[in-house]
């Protein structure tokens, strides 16, 4: 939570202790009502509603639904580090990767690899098919693949 607070301050937003507590409550259960949060934190419902609305408006907080991958039949995960050459091809490769429904995370990185992505697939055969597809994108120079054997915690 300190990271979120630091980023908010750097972007010109100041989070106080109550803001952080509201965010923590929503991390536990994004569907928790303002009434439940207000009772838990011992403040007025209107205060929680106002804080929530400000956090949403300032784009500090975003509520998303995150399904359990296994319940959707997604049982094979991997982290892929991708080097793109020449560098002018990065945007083209990023756009093609972003279109893949199996991609759950995509970022531009520094160092030897320009792009990092996470894949969530039905099984290893499906994963191999997607990796082959990415490997054949024009500009793909090198891949480094790490299989996730047991995911203990998903990001908040």
């Amino acid at each position: 939570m300190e990271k979120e607070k630091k980023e908010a301050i750097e972007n010109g937003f100041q989070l106080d202790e109550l803001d952080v507590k509201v965010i923590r409550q929503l991390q536990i259960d994004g569907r928790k009502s303002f009434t439940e949060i207000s009772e838990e934190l011992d403040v007025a419902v209107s205060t929680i509603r106002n804080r929530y609305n400000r956090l949403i408006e300032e784009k500090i907080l975003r509520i998303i639904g995150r399904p359990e991958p296994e319940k959707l039949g997604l049982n094979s995960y991997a982290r892929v580090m991708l080097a793109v050459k020449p560098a002018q091809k990065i945007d083209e490769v990023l756009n093609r990767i972003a279109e893949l429904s199996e991609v759950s995370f995509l970022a531009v990185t520094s160092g030897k690899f320009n792009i990092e992505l996470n894949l969530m697939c039905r099984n290893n055969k499906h994963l191999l098919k997607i990796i082959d597809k990415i490997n054949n994108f024009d500009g793909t120079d090198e891949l480094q693949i790490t299989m996730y054997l047991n995911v203990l915690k998903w990001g908040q």
Side-chain angles (χ1 to χ4, degrees), residues 3-47:
K3 180 182 173 198
E4 288 90 346
K5 189 173 181 179
K6 182 180 177 216
E7 288 174 358
I9 291 170
E10 288 172 357
N11 290 323
F13 309 112
Q14 293 223 336
L15 298 180
D16 64 15
E17 189 175 328
L18 182 57
D19 290 326
V20 172
K21 287 180 179 179
V22 169
I23 292 169
R24 282 198 181 120
Q25 290 292 312
L26 291 167
Q27 284 179 308
I28 294 166
D29 180 358
R31 295 182 61 203
K32 194 175 255 190
S33 72
F34 295 155
T35 302
E36 291 172 306
I37 296 171
S38 72
E39 290 170 0
E40 185 80 26
L41 302 180
D42 196 29
V43 296
V45 174
S46 60
T47 300

Side-chain angles (χ1 to χ4, degrees), residues 48-100:
I48 299 301
R49 183 180 310 105
N50 291 338
R51 295 296 181 109
Y52 173 88
N53 288 334
R54 183 179 61 81
L55 292 168
I56 293 290
E57 287 170 15
E58 298 292 347
K59 297 190 181 349
I60 294 169
L61 179 66
R62 180 174 49 133
I63 304 296
I64 61 170
R66 183 171 179 93
E68 290 295 329
E70 292 87 7
K71 303 253 184 200
L72 299 176
L74 301 172
N75 299 299
S76 188
Y77 321 114
R79 175 179 150 230
V80 179
M81 300 300 291
L82 174 62
V84 176
K85 291 183 183 171
Q88 293 83 358
K89 296 273 186 185
I90 289 176
D91 287 339
E92 179 183 331
V93 172
L94 283 167
N95 289 334
R96 294 197 64 190
I97 291 171
E99 292 174 358
L100 300 172

Side-chain angles (χ1 to χ4, degrees), residues 4 41 51 63 108 116 125 141 151:
E4 288 90 346
L41 302 180
R51 295 296 181 109
I63 304 296
V108 176
E116 179 179 345
K125 188 175 182 177
D141 183 61
V151 178

